[in-house]
């Protein structure tokens, strides 16, 4: 049986088998709903603490919920049989605490009785996905942004940077901005998330963004459950504000440099012998990076960078983010932790 591959993110969990040119067999929300005493699931918003998030900003924080989620994924989703468990490869976020790693290994061996375990860092796998072993990854996740230089398949942890904001913070920011322009509409966060996915985009540069503040085409969006005019909202400059926050974090109230500046500053902490190799092999991943205009803005900001070598984006392959595990699978049998010693 092929090794199972699990990528548990803060928003989505992807899982499947390490088979070449195959997309993940499962892509499901990581968030779970708490069961009531009678075994049913409630959608009643008056019930407190219904939603459970096993993974928060990239790290597992609710191990009981994570165990339940993995049990469903491995036995129901991937078809494992109890007593005939196989090997498993987990993606490992940047700067994962040692205690988390140890607890995951203990959970997999003692609870799931797996025959082999290996955790590979997400930054390394993202580079493998585009056929590189050296480069720099910018991972814009649901709850964090990781920037990691990778040299010959190894992450330079000293130079790497992790920022505690990501797609979920942009969603909250959009909700705040839409609330100002649509004060009579009560938006829930799931509606705002859908609006962000549909409308968010990046301005060409900072000047173009400033112009949207003065004049910007307005679109209307009808909420799924809305029939009256109160449920039709207007979306104007707000859709540009989301993308701009990645390049001007001050919009979120953060004292931080933009994402391209952070990339250059990260690489400046690596030996100068590796600067060109890292900057010319930059991989940007994560759902937020797919918004309209992001790549063009990133490239333009890079051309204005103070660095002597301009960051250059490496195009993603079709199955990036998952097919990378196939590259690692050739060494999996020789590097995993095995119950056989």
């Amino acid at each position: 049986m092929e090794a199972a591959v699990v990528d548990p993110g803060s928003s989505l969990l992807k899982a499947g088998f390490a088979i070449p040119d195959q997309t993940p067999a499962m892509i499901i929300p990581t968030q779970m709903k708490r069961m009531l005493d009678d075994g049913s699931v409630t959608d009643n918003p008056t019930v407190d603490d219904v939603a459970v998030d096993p993974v928060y900003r990239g790290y597992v924080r609710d191990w009981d919920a994570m165990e339940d989620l993995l049990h469903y994924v491995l036995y129901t989703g991937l078809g494992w049989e109890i007593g005939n468990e196989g090997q498993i490869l987990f993606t490992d976020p940047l700067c994962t605490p040692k205690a988390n790693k140890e607890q995951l290994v203990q959970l997999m061996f003692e609870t799931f009785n797996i025959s082999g375990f290996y955790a590979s860092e997400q930054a390394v796998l993202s580079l493998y996905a585009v056929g590189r072993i050296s480069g720099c990854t910018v991972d814009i996740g649901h709850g964090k942004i990781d920037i990691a230089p990778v040299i010959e398949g190894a992450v330079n942890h000293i130079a790497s940077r992790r920022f505690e904001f990501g797609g979920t913070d942009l969603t909250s920011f959009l909700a705040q901005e839409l609330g100002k322009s649509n004060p009579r509409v009560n938006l829930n966060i799931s509606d705002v998330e859908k609006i962000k996915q549909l409308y968010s985009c990046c301005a060409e540069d900072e000047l173009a963004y400033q112009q949207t503040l003065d004049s910007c085409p307005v679109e209307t969006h009808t909420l799924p459950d809305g029939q009256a005019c109160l449920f039709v909202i207007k979306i104007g400059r707000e859709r540009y504000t989301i993308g701009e926050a990645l390049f001007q974090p001050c919009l979120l109230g953060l004292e931080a440099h933009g994402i391209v500046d952070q990339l250059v500053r990260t690489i400046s902490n690596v030996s100068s012998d590796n600067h060109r190799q890292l900057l010319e092999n930059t991989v940007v991943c994560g759902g937020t990076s797919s918004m309209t205009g992001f790549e063009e803005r990133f490239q333009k900001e890079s051309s204005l960078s103070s660095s002597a070598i301009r960051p250059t984006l490496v195009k993603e392959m079709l199955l990036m983010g998952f097919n990378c595990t196939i590259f690692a699978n050739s060494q999996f049998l020789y590097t995993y932790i095995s119950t056989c010693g």
Side-chain angles (χ1 to χ4, degrees):
M1 180 171 60
E2 298 289 345
V5 182
V6 179
D7 178 19
S10 302
S11 176
L12 296 174
L13 181 146
K14 292 180 284 186
F17 292 103
I19 301 174
D21 301 321
Q22 186 176 84
T23 55
M26 297 184 69
I27 301 178
I28 60 174
T30 307
Q31 187 179 79
M32 306 164 68
K33 288 190 175 181
R34 193 178 302 279
M35 303 292 290
L36 299 180
D37 292 338
D38 60 2
S40 63
V41 177
T42 180
D43 289 318
N44 188 344
T46 62
V47 178
D48 293 333
D49 200 24
V50 171
V52 180
D53 292 299
V55 183
Y56 179 72
R57 297 200 184 277
Y59 301 150
V60 178
R61 69 172 182 179
D62 188 328
W63 287 97
D64 290 336
M66 191 64 183
E67 179 180 334
D68 291 339
L69 181 60
L70 288 174
H71 191 281
Y72 170 77
V73 167
L74 295 175
Y75 294 109
T76 303
L78 299 186
W80 273 15
E81 296 178 358
I82 295 178
N84 189 31
E85 291 82 2
Q87 306 157 3
I88 194 164
L89 170 65
F90 269 88
T91 64
D92 191 21
L94 185 68
C95 304
T96 301
K98 182 180 179 182
N100 278 42
K101 296 181 180 181
E102 292 174 346
Q103 193 156 356
L104 178 60
V105 172
Q106 181 178 355
L107 174 69
M108 297 314 300
F109 278 113
E110 295 185 359
T111 302
F112 291 93
N113 196 33
I114 59 171
S115 60
F117 175 92
Y118 186 66
S120 186
E121 294 186 275
Q122 291 173 347
V124 175
L125 295 176
S126 294
L127 281 171
Y128 286 169
V130 293
R132 305 290 196 279
I133 59 173
S134 296
C136 194
T137 63
V138 181
D139 186 354
I140 310 174
H142 182 69
K144 46 79 180 177
I145 296 177
D146 293 334
I147 302 180
V150 180
I151 301 171
E152 298 297 323
V155 175
N156 185 318
H157 289 100
I158 295 177
S160 297
R161 299 187 180 201
R162 173 186 166 93
F163 303 94
E164 296 289 327
F165 75 95
T168 185
D169 301 281
L170 296 178
T171 301
S172 298
F173 181 48
L174 178 59
Q176 176 184 324
E177 293 297 298
L178 288 174
K180 295 176 183 177
S181 56
N182 299 269
R184 300 177 64 189
V185 180
N186 185 21
L187 292 167
N188 63 53
I189 205 67
S190 62
D191 288 335
V192 177
E193 181 69 30
K194 293 174 184 175
I195 292 170
K196 184 184 77 172
Q197 294 172 4
L198 288 171
Y199 297 101
S200 63
C201 55
C202 285
E204 182 181 350
D205 51 32
E206 186 175 345
L207 177 60
Y209 171 70
Q210 292 298 329
Q211 292 173 348
T212 67
L213 300 181
D214 300 324
S215 176
C216 180
V218 175
E219 297 188 44
T220 59
H221 177 79
T222 304
L223 298 179
D225 58 348
Q227 296 180 4
C229 61
L230 286 179
F231 294 96
V232 177
I233 66 171
K234 295 180 179 180
I235 306 168
R237 63 171 182 79
E238 296 88 358
R239 64 179 181 269
Y240 289 98
T241 305
I242 300 307
E244 193 65 26
L246 293 171
F247 299 93
Q248 296 190 63
C250 59
L251 295 175
L252 298 173
L254 301 174
E255 295 182 2
H257 295 278
I259 196 166
V260 174
D261 284 341
Q262 294 288 8
L263 169 65
V264 173
R265 288 167 181 266
T266 297
I267 292 178
S268 69
N269 292 322
V270 179
S271 169
S272 58
D273 295 340
N274 300 114
H275 285 185
R276 179 176 295 277
Q277 185 179 35
L278 295 175
L279 285 167
E280 291 183 349
N281 293 280
T282 300
V283 174
V284 179
C285 50
T288 304
S289 65
S290 63
M291 77 170 68
T292 303
F294 175 84
E295 182 179 327
E296 292 78 7
R297 176 65 180 275
F298 190 96
Q299 294 282 29
K300 187 165 187 176
E301 292 281 333
S302 298
S303 69
L304 301 174
S305 168
S306 60
S307 172
I309 306 168
R310 304 292 184 249
T312 303
L313 285 180
V314 179
K315 296 290 185 179
E316 298 178 0
M317 292 182 181
L318 179 62
L319 301 178
M320 180 186 176
F322 198 82
N323 215 24
C324 54
T325 58
I326 313 308
F327 189 93
N329 195 43
S330 61
Q331 297 182 359
F332 186 72
L333 293 175
Y334 303 99
T335 54
Y336 68 82
I337 303 172
S338 175
T339 55
C340 299

